[in-house]
Amino acid sequence: VQLQASGGGLVQAGDSLRLSCANPKRTSSNNAMGWFRQAPGREREFVAAINWSGSSTSIADSVKGRFTVSRDRVKSTMYLQMNSLKPEDTAVYYCASRRYSTTSSARADYVYWGQGTQVTVSS
């Protein structure tokens, strides 16, 4: 499974970014997908997940109300819209997919991972 994350960058606190996770070979079309992030010196943590159809999502409490996850099955791409960014959102963001159609917040439930995209939020 090939996942390609993009859209990261350097922004100021309060700005917005949209990350994309492309699956050009469409191997994750029927699978749930998720976003995780890892800051320096910290464990990789769950951010958001979406089921195979896009009808169900799960958002971490730390970003709830600011981040939303969506997917476009025609374009075979998942998105993470990040608003009101804070310096503590600085991390490498990874997209991942499961072998199953339902969402999960557990890192161990995801078997395919993209390469990560850096998000840096300055204060």
Side-chain angles (χ1 to χ4, degrees):
V1 174
Q2 183 181 30
L3 300 175
Q4 301 169 345
S6 63
L10 172 62
V11 297
Q12 294 186 332
D15 285 350
S16 298
L17 272 178
R18 188 178 78 159
L19 305 184
S20 299
C21 177
N23 178 221
K25 296 185 177 181
R26 299 182 175 276
T27 47
S28 293
S29 295
N30 296 321
N31 299 339
M33 299 182 71
W35 289 98
F36 289 76
R37 66 186 183 184
Q38 187 167 17
R42 301 189 65 175
E43 295 286 321
R44 191 171 299 188
E45 65 175 2
F46 170 74
V47 176
I50 189 165
N51 72 339
W52 74 278
S53 66
S55 63
S56 177
T57 63
S58 177
I59 306 292
D61 288 343
S62 60
V63 302
K64 195 168 290 184
R66 300 188 296 122
F67 291 12
T68 57
V69 59
S70 61
R71 67 190 299 170
D72 184 327
R73 289 173 55 78
V74 173
K75 295 182 179 179
S76 193
T77 300
M78 176 180 63
Y79 303 98
L80 182 68
Q81 178 65 45
M82 306 186 295
N83 299 328
S84 301
L85 282 161
K86 303 176 180 179
E88 52 263 43
D89 295 318
T90 295
V92 177
Y93 284 70
Y94 297 90
C95 61
S97 69
R98 302 188 66 200
R99 290 198 181 102
Y100 303 102
S101 61
T102 55
T103 61
S104 171
S105 60
R107 176 182 171 183
D109 287 346
Y110 291 82
V111 294
Y112 306 110
W113 292 83
Q115 82 283 8
T117 184
Q118 176 72 47
V119 173
T120 304
V121 185
S122 63
S123 58

